[in-house]
Amino acid sequence: MENEQNPTNTNPKLVMFENRLRKMYKHYSKLARKQDVACYRFYDHDLPEFPFAIEWYNGVVHAAEYKRRHGMEDEEYDIWLQECRVVLANVLEIDAANIFMKVRQRKAGRQGQYEKFGEEKIERIVPEGGLNFIINLTDYLDTGLFLDHRITRGMVREQAKGKRVLNLFCYTGSFSVYTAHGGADMVVSVDMSKTYLNWAKRNMQFNKLFDDKKHMFINEDVMEWIQQMPPDYFDLIICDPPTFSNSKRMEDNFDVQRDHVALLKKLLRACTDGGSIYFSNNYRGFVLERDSIPAVTVKDITGATTPFDFQGRLHRSCYLIQK
């Protein structure tokens, strides 16, 4: 493209941002086309002055700015944000109205994820893995589809046929949809948020997979609900807990590093012999206490589940644990 060598800005920092965006978008969009991926991240805090996580969702863009002390007055900041939007629109050659920008607060607890800060309800339907998912571009911290687990979702679909599946902390149910599509006999989705459970059900319905005899959506605190799980019942369990949670509905707080062994022991008790648990979390520096987990196999699959657009940028771990 002609303007690859001729940035549209004169501000040196915006020129730097524009050049970086062009390079990243060219690289990741090419990889995405090769892999038939419609939704991917192409920029993640690459430049300190422009601390965004920017994702392409099949023609629209979600740009979340990591909260920081930028030192700008409100008016100056608004101008800067608008300039960034214009740069993005120019680089991607799309209408600025299709770029949705928000400030991403760093929150350790799951309750931060559940907070709603908008009422615009601008939704889109986006494809992934032969399925379709509802995303919300305006009202929540995230869009409703975590792109870093794209490969993991494909893995559980391949394993799901004829299985009884449990999806804990299910969020908007993308894993549930994948396992239903894979032919699971039963899919139980548990989450503390009614909003996200309704969203999960809508995702299931939109893909024409919902069957009220096979698919259950349970609005409970996961840590309480798992106390009553039947033993040796689920063949496949997906568990992606928060790093930390101290919700009003929980008697005790939850810390994934401190509490993961106790959690996994409960899940193993509910798992059938030969069954599988996919356990993931986003705690930087997480150390799995492997010797304390009474499983036949504990395999670190972080690398195997890291998509092309998160290589070297991902701060989560993922394990396959087999009973």
Side-chain angles (χ1 to χ4, degrees):
M1 291 172 64
E2 185 182 336
N3 56 1
E4 274 188 60
Q5 288 77 36
N6 300 300
T8 55
N9 286 285
T10 54
N11 179 314
K13 286 188 176 179
L14 286 171
V15 168
M16 185 170 61
F17 182 47
E18 183 171 337
N19 287 337
R20 183 67 180 176
L21 282 174
R22 287 193 190 283
K23 181 180 178 181
M24 292 296 96
Y25 180 65
K26 183 179 179 182
H27 173 66
Y28 286 114
S29 61
K30 186 176 179 181
L31 290 172
R33 281 193 300 273
K34 281 185 178 177
Q35 296 186 28
D36 195 24
V37 169
C39 306
Y40 55 91
R41 182 172 293 188
F42 64 92
Y43 178 98
D44 194 352
H45 209 160
D46 293 43
L47 302 172
E49 300 93 337
F50 299 90
F52 296 101
I54 308 176
E55 295 171 338
W56 175 266
Y57 285 92
N58 201 35
V60 297
V61 171
H62 181 261
E65 182 195 359
Y66 294 109
K67 189 173 175 63
R68 57 176 177 144
R69 291 186 182 140
H70 49 63
M72 290 181 260
E73 297 295 331
D74 288 351
E75 188 176 348
E76 184 186 1
Y77 173 75
D78 289 342
I79 292 168
W80 173 83
L81 206 59
Q82 183 55 30
E83 287 173 337
C84 291
R85 186 194 297 272
V86 169
V87 168
L88 264 168
N90 287 338
V91 169
L92 303 176
E93 298 181 347
I94 63 172
D95 192 315
N98 288 323
I99 299 170
F100 298 87
M101 306 184 85
K102 65 180 72 155
V103 175
R104 183 183 181 86
Q105 310 250 5
R106 293 185 186 274
K107 298 200 177 189
R110 166 126 330 204
Q111 68 273 25
Q113 175 187 303
Y114 287 149
E115 286 177 9
K116 190 172 187 178
F117 53 77
E119 294 288 347
E120 295 178 71
K121 202 177 181 182
I122 296 178
E123 295 183 336
R124 295 286 189 279
I125 305 296
V126 296
E128 185 192 89
L131 295 162
N132 291 285
F133 295 92
I134 302 160
I135 62 166
N136 184 308
L137 293 154
T138 51
D139 301 341
Y140 301 91
L141 185 62
D142 297 293
T143 63
L145 185 65
F146 288 133
L147 302 182
D148 64 294
H149 269 307
R150 187 187 310 128
I151 293 172
T152 327
R153 288 190 278 270
M155 284 182 175
V156 300
R157 174 165 57 186
E158 287 174 13
Q159 269 192 264
K161 190 170 182 61
K163 303 284 177 66
R164 285 184 287 209
V165 177
L166 174 62
N167 185 9
L168 298 171
F169 307 100
C170 74
Y171 190 43
T172 60
S174 53
F175 275 105
S176 300
V177 173
Y178 265 83
T179 55
H181 188 246
D185 271 357
M186 171 192 288
V187 184
V188 178
S189 306
V190 188
D191 202 283
M192 193 188 297
S193 165
K194 284 183 182 176
T195 299
Y196 286 129
L197 275 177
N198 288 337
W199 194 334
K201 192 172 182 179
R202 288 173 66 210
N203 273 330
M204 194 77 85
Q205 290 167 331
F206 190 86
N207 285 281
K208 296 181 170 57
L209 292 167
F210 179 64
D211 181 339
D212 61 4
K213 295 180 181 65
K214 295 170 70 172
H215 305 139
M216 284 166 272
F217 297 88
I218 299 173
N219 177 217
E220 294 283 352
D221 168 26
V222 170
M223 301 308 293
E224 289 180 9
W225 187 83
I226 62 174
Q227 308 294 339
Q228 286 87 43
M229 285 190 299
D232 306 310
Y233 188 77
F234 293 103
D235 306 299
L236 178 59
I237 300 175
I238 300 118
C239 183
D240 186 6
T243 297
F244 179 81
S245 182
N246 58 353
S247 89
K248 292 172 185 173
R249 287 179 59 179
M250 287 179 66
E251 288 184 15
D252 302 306
N253 62 29
F254 172 81
D255 180 303
V256 72
Q257 183 62 69
R258 183 191 67 204
D259 300 325
H260 73 276
V261 171
L263 170 62
L264 287 169
K265 283 180 176 177
K266 289 185 178 77
L267 301 190
L268 282 162
R269 182 174 173 273
C271 197
T272 54
D273 287 341
S276 301
I277 299 169
Y278 282 82
F279 174 69
S280 177
N281 74 84
N282 292 302
Y283 178 47
R284 291 192 187 210
F286 176 77
V287 178
L288 187 80
E289 294 181 31
R290 195 178 296 249
D291 294 340
S292 301
I293 298 165
V296 173
T297 307
V298 179
K299 186 178 180 184
D300 187 336
I301 57 169
T302 305
T305 58
T306 301
F308 68 87
D309 44 329
F310 287 87
Q311 294 284 342
R313 298 162 172 248
L314 191 57
H315 304 289
R316 68 140 167 87
S317 49
C318 191
Y319 301 88
L320 175 57
I321 299 165
Q322 292 175 303
K323 184 174 175 180

mmCIF file of all heavy atoms in Angstrom, residues 166-209:
data_model
loop_
_atom_site.group_PDB
_atom_site.id
_atom_site.type_symbol
_atom_site.label_atom_id
_atom_site.label_comp_id
_atom_site.label_asym_id
_atom_site.label_seq_id
_atom_site.Cartn_x
_atom_site.Cartn_y
_atom_site.Cartn_z
ATOM 1 N N LEU A 166 -19.189 -30.565 31.986
ATOM 2 C CA LEU A 166 -19.425 -29.523 32.988
ATOM 3 C C LEU A 166 -18.543 -28.326 32.666
ATOM 4 O O LEU A 166 -17.322 -28.465 32.551
ATOM 5 C CB LEU A 166 -19.097 -30.053 34.388
ATOM 6 C CG LEU A 166 -19.153 -29.051 35.550
ATOM 7 C CD1 LEU A 166 -20.563 -28.493 35.724
ATOM 8 C CD2 LEU A 166 -18.664 -29.711 36.845
ATOM 9 N N ASN A 167 -19.158 -27.162 32.501
ATOM 10 C CA ASN A 167 -18.421 -25.922 32.212
ATOM 11 C C ASN A 167 -18.609 -24.971 33.391
ATOM 12 O O ASN A 167 -19.685 -24.393 33.570
ATOM 13 C CB ASN A 167 -18.935 -25.296 30.905
ATOM 14 C CG ASN A 167 -18.134 -24.076 30.489
ATOM 15 O OD1 ASN A 167 -17.092 -23.762 31.070
ATOM 16 N ND2 ASN A 167 -18.619 -23.373 29.480
ATOM 17 N N LEU A 168 -17.564 -24.826 34.210
ATOM 18 C CA LEU A 168 -17.619 -23.993 35.414
ATOM 19 C C LEU A 168 -17.077 -22.601 35.126
ATOM 20 O O LEU A 168 -16.145 -22.444 34.331
ATOM 21 C CB LEU A 168 -16.802 -24.644 36.528
ATOM 22 C CG LEU A 168 -17.291 -26.019 36.991
ATOM 23 C CD1 LEU A 168 -16.270 -26.655 37.933
ATOM 24 C CD2 LEU A 168 -18.649 -25.919 37.677
ATOM 25 N N PHE A 169 -17.623 -21.587 35.811
ATOM 26 C CA PHE A 169 -17.289 -20.189 35.501
ATOM 27 C C PHE A 169 -17.495 -19.988 34.000
ATOM 28 O O PHE A 169 -16.617 -19.513 33.281
ATOM 29 C CB PHE A 169 -15.844 -19.844 35.892
ATOM 30 C CG PHE A 169 -15.479 -20.171 37.313
ATOM 31 C CD1 PHE A 169 -14.770 -21.328 37.622
ATOM 32 C CD2 PHE A 169 -15.843 -19.319 38.350
ATOM 33 C CE1 PHE A 169 -14.425 -21.634 38.934
ATOM 34 C CE2 PHE A 169 -15.501 -19.617 39.672
ATOM 35 C CZ PHE A 169 -14.791 -20.772 39.961
ATOM 36 N N CYS A 170 -18.674 -20.372 33.523
ATOM 37 C CA CYS A 170 -18.873 -20.567 32.078
ATOM 38 C C CYS A 170 -18.893 -19.281 31.268
ATOM 39 O O CYS A 170 -18.795 -19.313 30.045
ATOM 40 C CB CYS A 170 -20.145 -21.364 31.827
ATOM 41 S SG CYS A 170 -21.679 -20.422 32.091
ATOM 42 N N TYR A 171 -19.082 -18.107 31.936
ATOM 43 C CA TYR A 171 -19.077 -16.817 31.239
ATOM 44 C C TYR A 171 -20.173 -16.840 30.168
ATOM 45 O O TYR A 171 -21.320 -17.132 30.470
ATOM 46 C CB TYR A 171 -17.673 -16.549 30.698
ATOM 47 C CG TYR A 171 -17.395 -15.177 30.150
ATOM 48 C CD1 TYR A 171 -17.837 -14.022 30.802
ATOM 49 C CD2 TYR A 171 -16.685 -15.024 28.967
ATOM 50 C CE1 TYR A 171 -17.569 -12.758 30.289
ATOM 51 C CE2 TYR A 171 -16.404 -13.765 28.456
ATOM 52 C CZ TYR A 171 -16.854 -12.640 29.113
ATOM 53 O OH TYR A 171 -16.593 -11.391 28.606
ATOM 54 N N THR A 172 -19.871 -16.561 28.924
ATOM 55 C CA THR A 172 -20.913 -16.509 27.896
ATOM 56 C C THR A 172 -21.082 -17.841 27.148
ATOM 57 O O THR A 172 -21.726 -17.897 26.102
ATOM 58 C CB THR A 172 -20.633 -15.388 26.876
ATOM 59 O OG1 THR A 172 -19.362 -15.640 26.249
ATOM 60 C CG2 THR A 172 -20.596 -14.026 27.560
ATOM 61 N N GLY A 173 -20.477 -18.898 27.696
ATOM 62 C CA GLY A 173 -20.786 -20.248 27.240
ATOM 63 C C GLY A 173 -20.151 -20.707 25.945
ATOM 64 O O GLY A 173 -20.632 -21.664 25.339
ATOM 65 N N SER A 174 -19.052 -20.089 25.532
ATOM 66 C CA SER A 174 -18.462 -20.506 24.250
ATOM 67 C C SER A 174 -17.990 -21.961 24.306
ATOM 68 O O SER A 174 -18.174 -22.723 23.345
ATOM 69 C CB SER A 174 -17.318 -19.583 23.845
ATOM 70 O OG SER A 174 -16.369 -19.454 24.883
ATOM 71 N N PHE A 175 -17.410 -22.395 25.437
ATOM 72 C CA PHE A 175 -17.009 -23.798 25.573
ATOM 73 C C PHE A 175 -18.239 -24.707 25.542
ATOM 74 O O PHE A 175 -18.200 -25.805 24.984
ATOM 75 C CB PHE A 175 -16.242 -24.016 26.879
ATOM 76 C CG PHE A 175 -14.770 -23.711 26.789
ATOM 77 C CD1 PHE A 175 -14.256 -22.546 27.342
ATOM 78 C CD2 PHE A 175 -13.899 -24.590 26.165
ATOM 79 C CE1 PHE A 175 -12.901 -22.261 27.269
ATOM 80 C CE2 PHE A 175 -12.539 -24.317 26.083
ATOM 81 C CZ PHE A 175 -12.036 -23.145 26.638
ATOM 82 N N SER A 176 -19.320 -24.249 26.144
ATOM 83 C CA SER A 176 -20.552 -25.045 26.150
ATOM 84 C C SER A 176 -21.085 -25.242 24.735
ATOM 85 O O SER A 176 -21.518 -26.339 24.360
ATOM 86 C CB SER A 176 -21.613 -24.359 27.021
ATOM 87 O OG SER A 176 -21.165 -24.209 28.351
ATOM 88 N N VAL A 177 -21.059 -24.185 23.945
ATOM 89 C CA VAL A 177 -21.521 -24.261 22.554
ATOM 90 C C VAL A 177 -20.655 -25.234 21.758
ATOM 91 O O VAL A 177 -21.163 -26.083 21.006
ATOM 92 C CB VAL A 177 -21.515 -22.857 21.907
ATOM 93 C CG1 VAL A 177 -21.820 -22.949 20.413
ATOM 94 C CG2 VAL A 177 -22.520 -21.937 22.587
ATOM 95 N N TYR A 178 -19.344 -25.129 21.930
ATOM 96 C CA TYR A 178 -18.429 -26.022 21.210
ATOM 97 C C TYR A 178 -18.681 -27.489 21.575
ATOM 98 O O TYR A 178 -18.680 -28.361 20.703
ATOM 99 C CB TYR A 178 -16.980 -25.660 21.525
ATOM 100 C CG TYR A 178 -16.326 -24.741 20.524
ATOM 101 C CD1 TYR A 178 -16.499 -23.360 20.582
ATOM 102 C CD2 TYR A 178 -15.507 -25.245 19.517
ATOM 103 C CE1 TYR A 178 -15.887 -22.513 19.675
ATOM 104 C CE2 TYR A 178 -14.877 -24.410 18.606
ATOM 105 C CZ TYR A 178 -15.071 -23.040 18.681
ATOM 106 O OH TYR A 178 -14.466 -22.210 17.776
ATOM 107 N N THR A 179 -18.880 -27.776 22.873
ATOM 108 C CA THR A 179 -19.080 -29.184 23.263
ATOM 109 C C THR A 179 -20.439 -29.702 22.793
ATOM 110 O O THR A 179 -20.556 -30.866 22.399
ATOM 111 C CB THR A 179 -18.926 -29.359 24.787
ATOM 112 O OG1 THR A 179 -19.810 -28.474 25.482
ATOM 113 C CG2 THR A 179 -17.496 -29.106 25.224
ATOM 114 N N ALA A 180 -21.451 -28.826 22.816
ATOM 115 C CA ALA A 180 -22.754 -29.230 22.272
ATOM 116 C C ALA A 180 -22.626 -29.546 20.788
ATOM 117 O O ALA A 180 -23.182 -30.545 20.294
ATOM 118 C CB ALA A 180 -23.784 -28.121 22.491
ATOM 119 N N HIS A 181 -21.877 -28.717 20.069
ATOM 120 C CA HIS A 181 -21.646 -28.935 18.637
ATOM 121 C C HIS A 181 -20.869 -30.225 18.395
ATOM 122 O O HIS A 181 -21.054 -30.899 17.369
ATOM 123 C CB HIS A 181 -20.896 -27.740 18.045
ATOM 124 C CG HIS A 181 -20.780 -27.770 16.565
ATOM 125 N ND1 HIS A 181 -19.580 -27.919 15.914
ATOM 126 C CD2 HIS A 181 -21.728 -27.686 15.585
ATOM 127 C CE1 HIS A 181 -19.772 -27.903 14.606
ATOM 128 N NE2 HIS A 181 -21.068 -27.772 14.377
ATOM 129 N N GLY A 182 -20.015 -30.572 19.365
ATOM 130 C CA GLY A 182 -19.223 -31.802 19.250
ATOM 131 C C GLY A 182 -19.995 -33.062 19.586
ATOM 132 O O GLY A 182 -19.447 -34.160 19.524
ATOM 133 N N GLY A 183 -21.268 -32.929 19.975
ATOM 134 C CA GLY A 183 -22.107 -34.091 20.217
ATOM 135 C C GLY A 183 -22.159 -34.558 21.654
ATOM 136 O O GLY A 183 -22.428 -35.741 21.919
ATOM 137 N N ALA A 184 -21.940 -33.640 22.608
ATOM 138 C CA ALA A 184 -22.023 -34.021 24.018
ATOM 139 C C ALA A 184 -23.433 -34.491 24.362
ATOM 140 O O ALA A 184 -24.418 -33.943 23.872
ATOM 141 C CB ALA A 184 -21.636 -32.833 24.901
ATOM 142 N N ASP A 185 -23.527 -35.495 25.229
ATOM 143 C CA ASP A 185 -24.833 -35.989 25.682
ATOM 144 C C ASP A 185 -25.493 -35.011 26.642
ATOM 145 O O ASP A 185 -26.715 -34.925 26.718
ATOM 146 C CB ASP A 185 -24.661 -37.338 26.403
ATOM 147 C CG ASP A 185 -24.748 -38.498 25.431
ATOM 148 O OD1 ASP A 185 -24.988 -38.256 24.234
ATOM 149 O OD2 ASP A 185 -24.569 -39.651 25.867
ATOM 150 N N MET A 186 -24.671 -34.293 27.401
ATOM 151 C CA MET A 186 -25.175 -33.342 28.385
ATOM 152 C C MET A 186 -24.139 -32.231 28.547
ATOM 153 O O MET A 186 -22.938 -32.496 28.539
ATOM 154 C CB MET A 186 -25.385 -34.045 29.734
ATOM 155 C CG MET A 186 -25.697 -33.109 30.897
ATOM 156 S SD MET A 186 -25.599 -33.958 32.497
ATOM 157 C CE MET A 186 -27.069 -34.962 32.397
ATOM 158 N N VAL A 187 -24.617 -30.984 28.673
ATOM 159 C CA VAL A 187 -23.726 -29.860 28.957
ATOM 160 C C VAL A 187 -24.332 -29.054 30.101
ATOM 161 O O VAL A 187 -25.429 -28.505 29.973
ATOM 162 C CB VAL A 187 -23.517 -28.937 27.730
ATOM 163 C CG1 VAL A 187 -22.505 -27.848 28.067
ATOM 164 C CG2 VAL A 187 -23.067 -29.739 26.509
ATOM 165 N N VAL A 188 -23.611 -29.002 31.218
ATOM 166 C CA VAL A 188 -24.036 -28.225 32.381
ATOM 167 C C VAL A 188 -23.127 -27.001 32.496
ATOM 168 O O VAL A 188 -21.906 -27.135 32.603
ATOM 169 C CB VAL A 188 -23.962 -29.067 33.676
ATOM 170 C CG1 VAL A 188 -24.357 -28.225 34.888
ATOM 171 C CG2 VAL A 188 -24.846 -30.301 33.562
ATOM 172 N N SER A 189 -23.734 -25.814 32.448
ATOM 173 C CA SER A 189 -22.973 -24.562 32.497
ATOM 174 C C SER A 189 -23.323 -23.822 33.787
ATOM 175 O O SER A 189 -24.493 -23.568 34.054
ATOM 176 C CB SER A 189 -23.326 -23.683 31.292
ATOM 177 O OG SER A 189 -23.162 -24.395 30.079
ATOM 178 N N VAL A 190 -22.290 -23.478 34.574
ATOM 179 C CA VAL A 190 -22.521 -22.855 35.876
ATOM 180 C C VAL A 190 -21.801 -21.511 35.943
ATOM 181 O O VAL A 190 -20.609 -21.422 35.620
ATOM 182 C CB VAL A 190 -22.023 -23.752 37.036
ATOM 183 C CG1 VAL A 190 -22.459 -23.175 38.389
ATOM 184 C CG2 VAL A 190 -22.517 -25.186 36.880
ATOM 185 N N ASP A 191 -22.532 -20.486 36.370
ATOM 186 C CA ASP A 191 -21.916 -19.172 36.554
ATOM 187 C C ASP A 191 -22.738 -18.375 37.575
ATOM 188 O O ASP A 191 -23.939 -18.610 37.744
ATOM 189 C CB ASP A 191 -21.830 -18.403 35.234
ATOM 190 C CG ASP A 191 -20.765 -17.318 35.262
ATOM 191 O OD1 ASP A 191 -20.997 -16.254 35.859
ATOM 192 O OD2 ASP A 191 -19.679 -17.545 34.692
ATOM 193 N N MET A 192 -22.078 -17.432 38.224
ATOM 194 C CA MET A 192 -22.707 -16.606 39.244
ATOM 195 C C MET A 192 -23.585 -15.510 38.635
ATOM 196 O O MET A 192 -24.457 -14.958 39.289
ATOM 197 C CB MET A 192 -21.599 -15.962 40.090
ATOM 198 C CG MET A 192 -22.071 -15.330 41.378
ATOM 199 S SD MET A 192 -20.708 -14.418 42.140
ATOM 200 C CE MET A 192 -19.554 -15.741 42.473
ATOM 201 N N SER A 193 -23.342 -15.187 37.360
ATOM 202 C CA SER A 193 -24.020 -14.060 36.725
ATOM 203 C C SER A 193 -25.198 -14.514 35.860
ATOM 204 O O SER A 193 -25.028 -15.284 34.910
ATOM 205 C CB SER A 193 -23.022 -13.286 35.855
ATOM 206 O OG SER A 193 -23.688 -12.412 34.978
ATOM 207 N N LYS A 194 -26.377 -14.007 36.169
ATOM 208 C CA LYS A 194 -27.549 -14.286 35.332
ATOM 209 C C LYS A 194 -27.365 -13.705 33.939
ATOM 210 O O LYS A 194 -27.784 -14.292 32.940
ATOM 211 C CB LYS A 194 -28.803 -13.683 35.970
ATOM 212 C CG LYS A 194 -29.341 -14.457 37.153
ATOM 213 C CD LYS A 194 -30.625 -13.824 37.670
ATOM 214 C CE LYS A 194 -31.142 -14.565 38.903
ATOM 215 N NZ LYS A 194 -32.326 -13.894 39.466
ATOM 216 N N THR A 195 -26.751 -12.532 33.879
ATOM 217 C CA THR A 195 -26.519 -11.865 32.584
ATOM 218 C C THR A 195 -25.712 -12.758 31.654
ATOM 219 O O THR A 195 -26.078 -12.972 30.492
ATOM 220 C CB THR A 195 -25.782 -10.534 32.794
ATOM 221 O OG1 THR A 195 -26.589 -9.682 33.596
ATOM 222 C CG2 THR A 195 -25.492 -9.861 31.467
ATOM 223 N N TYR A 196 -24.613 -13.288 32.168
ATOM 224 C CA TYR A 196 -23.758 -14.110 31.316
ATOM 225 C C TYR A 196 -24.395 -15.467 31.007
ATOM 226 O O TYR A 196 -24.222 -16.003 29.915
ATOM 227 C CB TYR A 196 -22.372 -14.271 31.941
ATOM 228 C CG TYR A 196 -21.549 -13.010 31.825
ATOM 229 C CD1 TYR A 196 -20.926 -12.441 32.927
ATOM 230 C CD2 TYR A 196 -21.404 -12.368 30.601
ATOM 231 C CE1 TYR A 196 -20.183 -11.275 32.818
ATOM 232 C CE2 TYR A 196 -20.668 -11.210 30.472
ATOM 233 C CZ TYR A 196 -20.054 -10.656 31.582
ATOM 234 O OH TYR A 196 -19.334 -9.503 31.454
ATOM 235 N N LEU A 197 -25.140 -16.028 31.957
ATOM 236 C CA LEU A 197 -25.844 -17.280 31.674
ATOM 237 C C LEU A 197 -26.886 -17.105 30.572
ATOM 238 O O LEU A 197 -27.023 -17.958 29.692
ATOM 239 C CB LEU A 197 -26.514 -17.807 32.943
ATOM 240 C CG LEU A 197 -25.659 -18.640 33.885
ATOM 241 C CD1 LEU A 197 -26.460 -19.005 35.121
ATOM 242 C CD2 LEU A 197 -25.126 -19.907 33.215
ATOM 243 N N ASN A 198 -27.616 -15.992 30.615
ATOM 244 C CA ASN A 198 -28.586 -15.708 29.542
ATOM 245 C C ASN A 198 -27.884 -15.559 28.205
ATOM 246 O O ASN A 198 -28.373 -16.020 27.167
ATOM 247 C CB ASN A 198 -29.374 -14.435 29.871
ATOM 248 C CG ASN A 198 -30.369 -14.650 30.996
ATOM 249 O OD1 ASN A 198 -30.797 -15.771 31.251
ATOM 250 N ND2 ASN A 198 -30.739 -13.575 31.682
ATOM 251 N N TRP A 199 -26.730 -14.922 28.237
ATOM 252 C CA TRP A 199 -25.917 -14.734 27.036
ATOM 253 C C TRP A 199 -25.461 -16.106 26.515
ATOM 254 O O TRP A 199 -25.515 -16.372 25.306
ATOM 255 C CB TRP A 199 -24.714 -13.872 27.418
ATOM 256 C CG TRP A 199 -23.889 -13.256 26.341
ATOM 257 C CD1 TRP A 199 -23.711 -13.678 25.064
ATOM 258 C CD2 TRP A 199 -23.084 -12.076 26.485
ATOM 259 N NE1 TRP A 199 -22.844 -12.846 24.398
ATOM 260 C CE2 TRP A 199 -22.448 -11.862 25.254
ATOM 261 C CE3 TRP A 199 -22.833 -11.210 27.546
ATOM 262 C CZ2 TRP A 199 -21.567 -10.796 25.052
ATOM 263 C CZ3 TRP A 199 -21.965 -10.151 27.350
ATOM 264 C CH2 TRP A 199 -21.339 -9.942 26.111
ATOM 265 N N ALA A 200 -25.039 -16.972 27.429
ATOM 266 C CA ALA A 200 -24.606 -18.321 27.052
ATOM 267 C C ALA A 200 -25.751 -19.089 26.386
ATOM 268 O O ALA A 200 -25.559 -19.769 25.370
ATOM 269 C CB ALA A 200 -24.119 -19.073 28.296
ATOM 270 N N LYS A 201 -26.940 -18.955 26.959
ATOM 271 C CA LYS A 201 -28.104 -19.641 26.386
ATOM 272 C C LYS A 201 -28.432 -19.084 25.003
ATOM 273 O O LYS A 201 -28.765 -19.836 24.075
ATOM 274 C CB LYS A 201 -29.298 -19.481 27.322
ATOM 275 C CG LYS A 201 -30.476 -20.375 26.981
ATOM 276 C CD LYS A 201 -31.536 -20.309 28.075
ATOM 277 C CE LYS A 201 -32.701 -21.229 27.787
ATOM 278 N NZ LYS A 201 -33.718 -21.192 28.851
ATOM 279 N N ARG A 202 -28.329 -17.766 24.852
ATOM 280 C CA ARG A 202 -28.563 -17.143 23.533
ATOM 281 C C ARG A 202 -27.549 -17.657 22.515
ATOM 282 O O ARG A 202 -27.912 -17.918 21.348
ATOM 283 C CB ARG A 202 -28.455 -15.617 23.634
ATOM 284 C CG ARG A 202 -29.629 -14.951 24.358
ATOM 285 C CD ARG A 202 -29.348 -13.469 24.554
ATOM 286 N NE ARG A 202 -29.296 -12.754 23.287
ATOM 287 C CZ ARG A 202 -28.551 -11.673 23.078
ATOM 288 N NH1 ARG A 202 -27.776 -11.174 24.030
ATOM 289 N NH2 ARG A 202 -28.571 -11.074 21.907
ATOM 290 N N ASN A 203 -26.292 -17.799 22.932
ATOM 291 C CA ASN A 203 -25.280 -18.350 22.023
ATOM 292 C C ASN A 203 -25.650 -19.763 21.588
ATOM 293 O O ASN A 203 -25.524 -20.120 20.409
ATOM 294 C CB ASN A 203 -23.906 -18.359 22.702
ATOM 295 C CG ASN A 203 -23.144 -17.057 22.531
ATOM 296 O OD1 ASN A 203 -23.298 -16.358 21.526
ATOM 297 N ND2 ASN A 203 -22.320 -16.718 23.510
ATOM 298 N N MET A 204 -26.117 -20.553 22.533
ATOM 299 C CA MET A 204 -26.526 -21.931 22.222
ATOM 300 C C MET A 204 -27.718 -21.925 21.267
ATOM 301 O O MET A 204 -27.764 -22.694 20.291
ATOM 302 C CB MET A 204 -26.875 -22.660 23.518
ATOM 303 C CG MET A 204 -26.985 -24.166 23.376
ATOM 304 S SD MET A 204 -25.389 -25.017 23.273
ATOM 305 C CE MET A 204 -24.985 -25.205 25.013
ATOM 306 N N GLN A 205 -28.680 -21.059 21.536
ATOM 307 C CA GLN A 205 -29.879 -20.987 20.700
ATOM 308 C C GLN A 205 -29.556 -20.466 19.301
ATOM 309 O O GLN A 205 -30.090 -20.969 18.303
ATOM 310 C CB GLN A 205 -30.919 -20.093 21.370
ATOM 311 C CG GLN A 205 -31.546 -20.701 22.618
ATOM 312 C CD GLN A 205 -32.339 -19.706 23.440
ATOM 313 O OE1 GLN A 205 -32.046 -18.505 23.438
ATOM 314 N NE2 GLN A 205 -33.341 -20.180 24.164
ATOM 315 N N PHE A 206 -28.677 -19.458 19.234
ATOM 316 C CA PHE A 206 -28.353 -18.878 17.933
ATOM 317 C C PHE A 206 -27.725 -19.916 17.002
ATOM 318 O O PHE A 206 -27.923 -19.890 15.789
ATOM 319 C CB PHE A 206 -27.421 -17.676 18.089
ATOM 320 C CG PHE A 206 -27.251 -16.894 16.826
ATOM 321 C CD1 PHE A 206 -28.157 -15.902 16.487
ATOM 322 C CD2 PHE A 206 -26.217 -17.172 15.939
ATOM 323 C CE1 PHE A 206 -28.037 -15.198 15.295
ATOM 324 C CE2 PHE A 206 -26.083 -16.466 14.749
ATOM 325 C CZ PHE A 206 -26.997 -15.473 14.430
ATOM 326 N N ASN A 207 -26.967 -20.843 17.599
ATOM 327 C CA ASN A 207 -26.336 -21.898 16.800
ATOM 328 C C ASN A 207 -27.244 -23.109 16.585
ATOM 329 O O ASN A 207 -26.806 -24.145 16.088
ATOM 330 C CB ASN A 207 -25.022 -22.331 17.468
ATOM 331 C CG ASN A 207 -23.922 -21.304 17.269
ATOM 332 O OD1 ASN A 207 -23.313 -21.231 16.221
ATOM 333 N ND2 ASN A 207 -23.682 -20.488 18.299
ATOM 334 N N LYS A 208 -28.536 -22.944 16.990
ATOM 335 C CA LYS A 208 -29.539 -24.002 16.824
ATOM 336 C C LYS A 208 -29.092 -25.314 17.474
ATOM 337 O O LYS A 208 -29.306 -26.405 16.933
ATOM 338 C CB LYS A 208 -29.860 -24.214 15.340
ATOM 339 C CG LYS A 208 -30.495 -22.986 14.694
ATOM 340 C CD LYS A 208 -30.830 -23.225 13.238
ATOM 341 C CE LYS A 208 -31.663 -22.113 12.648
ATOM 342 N NZ LYS A 208 -31.050 -20.769 12.743
ATOM 343 N N LEU A 209 -28.501 -25.183 18.654
ATOM 344 C CA LEU A 209 -28.016 -26.351 19.375
ATOM 345 C C LEU A 209 -28.784 -26.606 20.674
ATOM 346 O O LEU A 209 -28.690 -27.682 21.245
ATOM 347 C CB LEU A 209 -26.519 -26.172 19.721
ATOM 348 C CG LEU A 209 -25.547 -26.190 18.539
ATOM 349 C CD1 LEU A 209 -24.178 -25.680 18.975
ATOM 350 C CD2 LEU A 209 -25.428 -27.595 17.954
#
